[in-house]
Structure formats: structure tokens, C-alpha cells
Amino acid sequence: MRLPDTIYIEEGVQIEGESIIENGVSLLGNSKIVNSHIKTNSVVEDSIVKDSDVGPMARIRPSRSEEHTS
């Protein structure tokens, strides 16, 4: 972790393997980070990130399919 005082990790988050978490990152909900690099000021919400680079300044969240009626 780079600058751990600037990183926010919620209780349900799992981090596995060789992962790098940079400054200003928020890991929310039931996210799982596996062998990944989460770059500066990114937000990962209720998602699985595996063998990836995310960011900087990205927002990853689950796909939500909603029906809209008029």
C-alpha cells in the first residue's frame, strides 16, 4: 500500500496475492482484489478485480440491469 493513511477499505473487502493499492483508493462493499494494481484515486465497489490494472481515477462497480417503463 502506498500512503496507507489515504486508503479506505470497508470490512467486506478481500485482497489476495500480489496486489498494489495506491493512495486515495476506496475499496467498498464486497469487493475482491486479486493480483491487481489499483491506481491513485480509484473506487472499486462490490466488484471482483483479478489480474488487472485499474485507474488512475477509475470507478468500478457492478453492472445493474434495470427495466424502465414509461
Side-chain angles (χ1 to χ4, degrees):
M1 288 188 197
R2 297 181 185 166
L3 298 174
D5 290 345
T6 68
I7 298 169
Y8 179 75
I9 302 174
E10 287 188 342
E11 186 176 329
V13 173
Q14 298 176 42
I15 301 172
E16 298 179 4
E18 297 290 324
S19 294
I20 299 171
I21 312 297
E22 291 188 6
N23 58 297
V25 167
S26 294
L27 303 176
L28 310 174
N30 292 313
S31 294
K32 185 173 183 179
I33 311 300
V34 182
N35 295 322
S36 295
H37 184 172
I38 312 300
K39 296 178 182 175
T40 303
N41 296 320
S42 294
V43 177
V44 178
E45 178 182 352
D46 290 318
S47 299
I48 297 172
V49 178
K50 184 175 181 182
D51 301 322
S52 300
D53 286 351
V54 172
M57 299 183 350
R59 183 170 181 100
I60 306 297
R61 54 188 161 184
S63 172
R64 298 197 180 161
S65 171
E66 296 181 25
E67 277 188 45
H68 296 282
T69 57
S70 303

